Amino acid sequence: MNQKRVYKSYPQAFKEEAVGLVTDQGYSVAEAAKLLGIRANQLYDCKTKIEASKQDGALSADERTELHRLRRRLQPCSPKK
């Protein structure tokens, strides 16, 4: 009776093309979402995330992971008291 929701995830290429409909081809978010069969708020979220990642200085997920790994490696051992 209490079934978990299954959320559909889309590949990054699909998200980028969907955002491209809005940014490059002039569709409204609502129009593009309707054409693609997704909810408008999903497209707004994708658009926000993609635009944020394209800003200067933004790191990709892989770059953030690598940076975190390197910072942990460079931390000096804590001195014993």
Side-chain angles (χ1 to χ4, degrees), residues 42-55:
Q42 288 176 303
L43 187 50
Y44 275 116
D45 289 343
C46 291
K47 184 175 178 284
T48 302
K49 289 177 184 175
I50 288 173
E51 287 175 348
S53 70
K54 288 184 179 179
Q55 289 179 352

Side-chain angles (χ1 to χ4, degrees), residues 18-19 21-23 26-45 47:
V19 171
L21 287 174
V22 176
T23 58
Y27 286 90
S28 71
V29 172
E31 290 171 334
K34 188 174 182 179
L35 285 171
L36 297 169
I38 61 175
R39 294 187 324 266
N41 64 335
Q42 288 176 303
L43 187 50
Y44 275 116
D45 289 343
K47 184 175 178 284

Side-chain angles (χ1 to χ4, degrees), residues 5 7-8 14 23-24 30 33 40 42 45 47 54 65-66 74 76-77:
R5 282 190 182 175
Y7 293 100
K8 189 170 185 176
F14 174 83
T23 58
D24 301 335
Q42 288 176 303
D45 289 343
K47 184 175 178 284
K54 288 184 179 179
T65 303
E66 179 70 6
L74 289 174
C77 297

Side-chain angles (χ1 to χ4, degrees), residues 75-81:
Q75 284 179 345
C77 297
S78 58
K80 294 182 181 180
K81 292 183 180 180

